Every structure is written in structure tokens, then in C-alpha cells.
Amino acid sequence: MSSTPNLATATLRQWAAELGFASLGVAGVDLSSVEGGLQAWLDAGWHGEMDYMARHGMARARPAELVPGTVSAIMVTLDYAPEESGWVDAAWRTLAQGERAYLSRYALGRDYHKVVRARLQKLAERIAAAVGPFGHRVFCDSAPVMEVELARRAGLGWRGKHTLLIHPKRGSTFFLGTLYTDLPLPADEAEPDHCGSCTRCIEACPTGAIVAPWRLDARRCISYLTIELKGAIPEPLRAPIGNRIYGCDDCQLACPWNRFAQPAALPDFAARNGLDAASLVDLFGWSADEFDARLAGSPIRRIGHERWLRNIAVALGNVGAEGCGAGAADVAGGADAIAAARAALEARADHPSELVREHVGWALAQLARRAPGGRSENGERAAGPRASG
């Protein structure tokens, strides 16, 4: 362990701010009090196919097992909210337009893992220049680290009922970064809970994944279904996904604290390739090469082209559905959107991937029920002329 450095937390905060971080705090690393909750979550199977969660086990709650010698965790936040002042309303509008694609706002720009880790490493270099070589390792959603719990203890916010960290002046639209260190730094005081009796995030979840305050069943979470899940999306959860093709922000959009969300300080997180206003049909038409080229440096690229098509197929199958934007099928605009979605899906009906074909087939069946002249969900014939094709 390094000797106690003559390094004030205020100095660390200044350096962090110069690197673009919105806030910095220090936490101790005794997380024994939360091990029971972590084990119960794993025992319930709520981690789904994220086998690494169970494989790492209690190492997540024992920092010194992951990085020997760790005695302090320096925690930072980096804002990513869009610059536009009415971005929350804009996000809801996109969700209400079923023919448009919705991607979680954090994923519209560069891969945050790399951005945060690179800047944290620069912070570590500044610390080393001041106190000499010291043991450390930087993380950003990249290892078994209880980032939210550590950030809570570092005074950077409280854990909301949706399980994300909320800051009273920044909402929850920020990334967390962690720097494990062998420097015995003084810990900050934890931020008290300010959610009170509010349950808007729980009520807003489209799939009921927030089963209770601070309890998330990842198997039902749209972020898990569209990003982590490798196989078929369970059929009962496809309709609630709506037009969300990568992640979900509903619990954050509903949170009143996000009226204080701060715009990204770095240009890295600005939307690329028009992903904040793209149509499902256009994105579904991307070839594998286009997917790789356009999403180079994006966190979205990690799911691969096959799951990209799987996700968009589900969203196309929801075009025109009640609550999914495009409007009722007897409205001309709704009929046009359904016809365009059907044409896009039919073009991929013989895709080499069985996973894609199955989701395309499901989507076409949904549109057939919804199209003018087709069958409704209860089997009755829909009103209006039959759509061509």
C-alpha cells in the first residue's frame, strides 16, 4: 500500500473537471453489507444470460480481490444528455412515432467505455505525477465492479428505484467511472435518498422489469433484451418493446430529477449517422458492411448485425400498434407506415440467419393482423380496403 499522500480531494475534483468529468468523489471499499443483496439477485436468476455476473460472484463486492491492495475507489461521472433543452420531450415524441427508431440516448455517439477509461487513465497519470507511482486500475462498465453502490457511497448521488444513480443537480444521464487505488484517501459522505414516495420510473417501465423499488429483473428489461440477449426475444415481450431497438430510457425519461440533466460536455456523445431521428425501414436496410462502417467506434456495434436486424424486425412488427406511434390502421399515414414496414420485412424474409427469419416472420404476422383488410388481434376483419402487396 502506498503511504498516505498529501492529496486533497478538492485537487482531485479540479483535475477531474479539467478532464471533462462532472463530479468526483471517494468511497471506501468495504462492501460486505451489500453482498447478501447481490447473492439474492443472482439466486433469483434475474441476471438472465449474463453468466459473467454469476461467474464473478462476490468479487464484484470485494474490490481487493479484483485488484489486490485496493483501499479506495475514486468515482467520477461524465454527462451524456443531448444538448437540446427539450430532449426529454423530443425522446417521448420519437417513442410515439412508431415508424422511427428509438435508441437509448447514451448510445447515439462514441463508445462511452473507451472515452471514460481514457480520461480516467489521464487522471491516474496526474495523480502519479503528484504522489509518485501508485497501484491502480480504471474501469467503466467493463469489469465486476459495483459502480452504482460505490458512487453512492462517494456522495455522487443516491440509488433511484430504477437502480440507477441520481444526482440532485444532474439527474441520472451520466456515465460512471471507477479508479481503484491503493491510496488511503478520505471517503466522502453518501448522498441521502430523495425519491420519497415517487414511483414514476416503476410505472413507466414498458415490460414491468422493475419488479419492486430497487429490484430489477434484467430478463424483462428492454436494455437486456436488445443488447445482452443473444437468442430470440421472448414473444410476450416483443410488443411492449415498441420501436426501441437498442436500450430503453423510459424510466429515466419519467424521472422528475432529469429536468436537471446536464448536456454532454464532450462532443464524443453527439448523435452520429442521424440515429436520433432515423426511420426503422432505413436502418433495417443496412448491410452488414454498412452496419460495421457506420457504427465504428459506437457501443451499438457490439451486438452485431444479426441482432441489429432482430431488434429492428420486432420494432417493424409493432408499427401501427396501439401505443406504438404510427396511428390506427384506418388512418392513411398509419396504413402507409405499415405497408413500408411490411415491404422492408419481406425483403429479409429469406435472410441466412434463422434468428432474423423467425423475428421477421413474427413481425409480418403482426402487420397482417393490423393492416387494412387484415385480421385484428381478436380475429375480426379490420375495416377499410385491403392494402396492396
Side-chain angles (χ1 to χ4, degrees):
M1 181 187 300
S2 300
S3 60
T4 303
N6 181 19
L7 188 62
T9 303
T11 301
L12 291 175
R13 291 195 175 106
Q14 178 184 337
W15 292 346
E18 291 169 359
L19 290 167
F21 293 117
S23 57
L24 177 147
V26 178
V29 295
D30 180 2
L31 302 178
S32 56
S33 63
V34 300
E35 288 188 8
L38 172 59
Q39 190 61 58
W41 185 75
L42 293 169
D43 290 344
W46 288 351
H47 58 296
E49 290 185 3
M50 295 184 289
D51 296 335
Y52 59 87
M53 299 290 290
R55 187 166 61 250
H56 292 140
M58 290 304 106
R60 189 173 296 274
R62 300 170 185 172
E65 287 189 7
L66 182 63
V67 182
T70 297
V71 296
S72 301
I74 298 173
M75 304 300 300
V76 296
T77 66
L78 188 62
D79 295 320
Y80 69 76
E83 289 186 1
E84 62 215 86
S85 59
W87 71 270
V88 171
D89 290 337
W92 284 126
R93 285 195 297 273
T94 297
L95 286 167
Q97 295 175 309
E99 74 279 5
R100 289 176 61 187
Y102 188 87
L103 299 92
S104 187
R105 304 295 93 169
Y106 82 83
L108 297 177
R110 284 194 61 199
D111 189 339
Y112 68 96
H113 301 86
K114 298 176 181 178
V115 175
V116 175
R117 285 203 305 265
R119 289 175 179 268
L120 263 179
Q121 186 56 47
K122 289 181 179 179
L123 177 61
E125 291 167 3
R126 292 198 69 167
I127 295 173
V131 305
F134 70 105
H136 70 278
R137 183 173 167 187
V138 301
F139 306 97
C140 178
D141 198 17
S142 55
V145 176
M146 298 191 78
E147 294 169 314
V148 175
E149 178 61 20
L150 287 168
R152 183 191 72 79
R153 295 181 180 218
L156 301 187
W158 69 94
R159 185 186 290 267
K161 293 174 183 176
H162 47 23
T163 76
L164 303 173
L165 197 74
I166 303 175
H167 187 279
K169 296 181 179 180
R170 320 196 78 79
S172 60
T173 55
F174 49 77
F175 303 116
L176 293 175
T178 305
L179 195 162
Y180 278 174
T181 173
D182 64 357
L183 300 175
L185 302 169
D188 288 291
E189 291 186 11
E191 177 77 26
D193 180 278
H194 297 292
C195 283
S197 61
C198 179
T199 56
R200 294 185 195 180
C201 60
I202 298 175
E203 295 157 7
C205 182
T207 55
I210 309 172
V211 297
W214 309 288
R215 295 289 181 269
L216 178 72
D217 184 347
R219 298 170 300 181
R220 300 186 63 84
C221 178
I222 293 175
S223 289
Y224 169 83
L225 295 170
T226 57
I227 300 172
E228 301 293 343
L229 183 66
K230 294 181 174 60
I233 295 172
E235 285 197 31
L237 298 177
R238 295 180 187 179
I241 285 176
N243 57 347
R244 302 165 185 84
I245 67 168
Y246 189 93
C248 178
D249 291 328
D250 288 40
C251 62
Q252 296 196 83
L253 298 177
C255 178
W257 289 100
N258 273 325
R259 66 183 182 273
F260 301 122
Q262 298 297 308
L266 305 179
D268 302 77
F269 305 127
R272 297 180 171 188
N273 293 296
L275 289 176
D276 55 341
S279 78
L280 292 169
V281 168
D282 287 346
L283 298 183
F284 198 60
W286 285 5
S287 67
D289 287 342
E290 286 177 303
F291 173 85
D292 286 338
R294 297 189 185 195
L295 297 179
S298 163
I300 303 169
R301 196 179 181 197
R302 64 185 285 250
I303 68 172
H305 188 241
E306 181 184 41
R307 280 188 276 166
W308 172 256
L309 294 180
R310 175 200 65 182
N311 295 349
I312 302 176
V314 169
L316 287 168
N318 291 327
V319 169
E322 182 178 355
C324 290
D330 59 351
V331 177
D336 289 345
I338 291 172
R342 184 175 61 195
L345 288 162
E346 287 174 344
R348 298 246 187 221
D350 296 323
H351 193 275
S353 165
E354 180 181 354
L355 182 69
V356 174
R357 292 197 306 273
E358 190 273 319
H359 287 75
V360 165
W362 174 87
L364 286 169
Q366 306 311 301
L367 295 181
R369 296 190 185 99
R370 207 172 295 130
R375 296 279 176 179
S376 66
E377 292 293 339
N378 62 12
E380 296 179 351
R381 197 171 189 78
R386 182 179 297 276
S388 60

